[in-house]
């Protein structure tokens, strides 16, 4: 599953955090990722979690090989 598959079904006002699954680096942490999405849309989703404190969507991604 690619990141674009997931983002296309997330309501636009939801908080989404996208991080590199291998390094833990935060790639995008924002309420709307449309303006930066084209930079990382090629990434493959490894995991999807819901944050315990704020109920935000947390997506772990890695390079699609």
């Amino acid at each position: 599953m690619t990141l674009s598959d997931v983002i296309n079904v997330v309501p636009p006002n939801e908080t989404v955090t996208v991080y590199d699954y291998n390094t833990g680096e935060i790639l995008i942490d924002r309420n709307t990722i449309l303006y930066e999405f084209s930079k990382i849309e090629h990434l493959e989703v490894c995991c999807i979690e819901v944050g315990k404190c704020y109920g935000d969507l947390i997506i772990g991604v890695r390079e699609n090989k």
Side-chain angles (χ1 to χ4, degrees), residues 6 11 29:
V6 174
D29 189 10

PDB file of all heavy atoms in Angstrom, residues 6 11 29:
ATOM      1  N   VAL A   6      -3.457   5.684   1.401  1.00  0.00           N
ATOM      2  CA  VAL A   6      -3.941   5.987   2.752  1.00  0.00           C
ATOM      3  C   VAL A   6      -4.450   7.415   2.837  1.00  0.00           C
ATOM      4  O   VAL A   6      -5.544   7.668   3.335  1.00  0.00           O
ATOM      5  CB  VAL A   6      -2.825   5.748   3.795  1.00  0.00           C
ATOM      6  CG1 VAL A   6      -3.281   6.189   5.178  1.00  0.00           C
ATOM      7  CG2 VAL A   6      -2.423   4.283   3.807  1.00  0.00           C
ATOM      8  N   PRO A  11      -9.915  11.985   6.183  1.00  0.00           N
ATOM      9  CA  PRO A  11     -10.608  13.274   6.093  1.00  0.00           C
ATOM     10  C   PRO A  11      -9.612  14.432   6.143  1.00  0.00           C
ATOM     11  O   PRO A  11      -8.602  14.365   6.863  1.00  0.00           O
ATOM     12  CB  PRO A  11     -11.508  13.273   7.333  1.00  0.00           C
ATOM     13  CG  PRO A  11     -11.716  11.827   7.638  1.00  0.00           C
ATOM     14  CD  PRO A  11     -10.423  11.155   7.270  1.00  0.00           C
ATOM     15  N   ASP A  29       4.454  16.457   9.917  1.00  0.00           N
ATOM     16  CA  ASP A  29       3.629  16.486  11.117  1.00  0.00           C
ATOM     17  C   ASP A  29       2.748  17.714  10.997  1.00  0.00           C
ATOM     18  O   ASP A  29       3.185  18.815  11.250  1.00  0.00           O
ATOM     19  CB  ASP A  29       4.511  16.550  12.357  1.00  0.00           C
ATOM     20  CG  ASP A  29       3.714  16.356  13.633  1.00  0.00           C
ATOM     21  OD1 ASP A  29       2.538  15.988  13.557  1.00  0.00           O
ATOM     22  OD2 ASP A  29       4.288  16.577  14.713  1.00  0.00           O
TER      23      ASP A  29
END
